[in-house]
DNA sequence: GTGGTCTAGACCACC
DNA sequence: GTGGTCTAGACCACC
């Protein structure tokens, strides 16, 4: 048996994922300005260096553009939203299918279960979301 | 935009989830003995009290049985594996569908993508698993 | 012959029993707030962790509800008082009948003795209570 | 609300009660010899002074007789068993009726409930006893 | 200020 | 050696 305890993903990676998710969902649009790393750091109560690292890696990945003295902006790339959405979706699907296979579900089972779940899933989503005990949050920032 | 940084789920809950996953996958079978809380604590480098709390809550949830002086054992309940598998699957599906909907995929999209993914999915993937998840682990224990 | 010396029930279990008794007697009502675990700990001179454990187990048992940052409250469940009263009564009766049987009294004796005692029992006895039990108490808290 | 936590009755009182219970049940008979206080202390892992105090108080209460150099013996009083049994029963009944009244049961309720319980209560007693989670024991001595 | 988690470590009961 | 209880105290999240 294997028991794993993760002490939590590195914060800068979590931040990158959150930005990607926001882009994919349309909550952040190309051209939008991110808070300065100092502001961001203060709001989510994280070391400014950590934010800077997240911004730096996002820049290297083409996700954002940093203009000295002006700030950091979501890249003005017309394919960005699409690409990000696909990446996030691919990751999601892969992890999901792997987990379900590991639990012993056949491909047919998985499809059937998702089909059933997706249909029951109408407007009540937002409410369902809160009822998931899964994720504890440390800091939440609300810009826009 | 919302940036969330999770501090990671409580260790004792992660431990419970890992045990549930192991049961659901058949890696832990009814009657199997878990390491003593002291051993487990040492191996995953966590305080014995934390392990004990995980064990205690699993006992209260009927997942394990504790015999004083003997140890803690996976419950010898014939429905346990099935029930646990179902619970884990339900959680997995719910989280997945919510994420995909948040990314803007329609129910039909989701089903189609899962269908496609599931078919491409052969057996060699087990190995890919560890390299993908990107989860920073503190301790890993391998018993049995 | 058997001489037993009990080290006394665990403190957290005694606390749970006391709360159940108070609910069953109507001294604590659904919606009532319990003292914060820190206050309670100080007043009955017990470690805050011990109180927290009692509160946590009561929450898991549906006896109380905990609202983060607000406090711990007796569950607002209409059946709670009734259910708790029944549980406490059942425990009381069972222990009593067992003791009497062990002392060699026949079922008929027991009923007769209780019948006699119950009739002699007027209302002034509430006051006698504390002077009789002979229980050494450490801390007593009086809220409300 | 009142929350009481008893740190446990004084051990010497518990010992006296256990001896009374054993006499009342016929497990200890007039003339029987009790272990020396040193032996008793060792077996139930209690300070010899504590045992000595219990023996002293039992002697003062006429329950036992101590013959220097010979030991401590259950009093050879023909009425002892009867008297002790009555005392234990009276205490039991009183505590029980008070508790039930405090829980809001009417005299008629109490009699009815006891009547019902006593009838369901046949031979399975010993087994029922173990299933009560109430009492934790520290030391158990088995003589005779 | 409220609850929640976690560590460190003592001491006990049952084997 | 196994689990169970408890203390002392740190640090965090949510108000």
């Amino acid at each position: 048996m294997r028991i794993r305890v993760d002490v939590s993903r590195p914060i800068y990676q979590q931040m990158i994922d959150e930005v990607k998710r926001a882009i994919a969902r349309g909550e952040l649009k190309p051209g939008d300005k991110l808070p300065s790393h100092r502001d961001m750091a203060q709001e989510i109560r994280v070391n400014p260096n950590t934010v800077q690292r997240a911004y730096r890696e996002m820049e290297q990945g083409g996700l954002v553009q940093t203009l000295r003295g002006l700030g950091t902006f979501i890249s003005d790339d017309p394919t960005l939203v699409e690409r990000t959405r696909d990446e996030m979706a691919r990751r999601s699907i892969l992890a999901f299918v792997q987990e379900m296979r590991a639990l012993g579900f056949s491909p047919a089972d998985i499809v059937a279960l998702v089909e059933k779940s997706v249909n029951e899933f109408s407007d009540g989503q937002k409410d369902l979301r809160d009822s998931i005990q899964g994720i504890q949050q440390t800091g939440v920032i609300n810009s826009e």
Side-chain angles (χ1 to χ4, degrees), chain A:
Chain A
M1 180 198 49
R2 279 195 135 186
I3 296 289
R4 289 173 183 154
V5 178
D6 73 63
V7 187
S8 97
R9 297 191 68 191
I11 291 171
Y12 76 91
Q13 282 183 15
Q14 294 186 41
M15 290 185 61
I16 297 173
D17 285 349
E18 287 297 319
V19 170
K20 285 183 177 169
R21 219 167 265 131
I23 293 173
R25 294 173 179 178
E27 291 161 13
L28 275 178
K29 290 182 181 44
D32 280 359
K33 187 176 180 303
L34 291 178
S36 81
H37 69 263
R38 255 177 281 268
D39 285 357
M40 174 72 94
Q42 208 173 16
E43 286 185 278
I44 64 177
R45 272 178 244 155
V46 140
N47 194 297
N49 290 330
T50 303
V51 180
Q52 223 172 358
R53 176 157 182 197
Y55 281 20
R56 191 172 62 240
E57 305 233 345
M58 289 194 288
E59 166 125 54
Q60 282 163 2
L63 214 67
V64 301
Q65 276 176 311
T66 295
L67 301 177
R68 276 199 91 150
L70 286 178
T72 300
F73 302 84
I74 303 297
S75 285
D76 220 341
D77 171 347
T79 71
L80 181 69
V81 177
E82 186 80 4
R83 278 192 295 116
T84 306
R85 204 177 77 125
D86 285 358
E87 181 199 341
M88 299 310 280
R90 231 178 310 118
R91 275 163 59 171
S92 226
I93 296 167
L94 185 60
F96 170 67
V97 172
Q98 284 171 336
E99 174 69 3
M100 293 299 282
R101 300 287 334 228
L103 290 177
F105 291 93
S106 72
D109 286 343
I110 300 175
V111 174
L113 286 166
V114 168
E115 201 151 10
K116 180 161 155 277
S117 166
V118 116
N119 289 329
E120 288 168 355
F121 204 85
S122 55
D123 319 60
Q125 304 167 41
K126 281 273 151 158
D127 309 328
L128 284 175
R129 238 156 90 236
D130 297 310
S131 70
I132 294 181
Q133 12 78 291
I135 298 166
Q136 264 187 315
Q137 313 162 212
T138 290
V140 168
I141 120 165
N142 253 309
S143 81
E144 171 177 322

